[in-house]
Amino acid sequence: MTAPDLPPPAGAATPPAPGHRPATCPRCGGAFACGVDADRTTPCFCAGIALDASRLAQLRARYPDCLCSTCLQALANDVREEA
């Protein structure tokens, strides 16, 4: 006899969506799920944030890994803030 599928206990971490990986933002240190390798059914949040080629190049040069949605959106919105 097997136990029925139960929801995770309150406060338990939700596993990332398929194709997403646990990550730590190199800018703020916050944990998030990076979906850069996800398929189109569960795209990463970053696919919805508009960055021009110059800004994207700045971010890639400065940060060694993906940024959380809060940091990426802040940097996309404030072009005066140096990447």
Side-chain angles (χ1 to χ4, degrees), residues 2-82:
T2 62
D5 289 332
L6 299 174
T14 304
H20 290 64
R21 64 177 169 84
T24 301
C25 179
R27 183 173 183 249
C28 72
F32 69 102
C34 174
V36 73
D37 295 324
D39 61 24
R40 292 180 186 211
T41 59
T42 56
C44 188
F45 63 84
C46 67
I49 298 177
L51 295 168
D52 65 30
S54 173
R55 189 61 163 170
L56 183 58
Q58 289 174 343
L59 295 174
R60 285 183 172 161
R62 172 136 187 198
Y63 298 105
D65 201 358
C66 296
L67 299 168
C68 70
S69 62
T70 301
C71 288
L72 185 58
Q73 190 65 60
L75 291 169
N77 290 339
D78 189 358
V79 294
R80 296 169 300 164
E81 183 177 343
E82 191 170 325

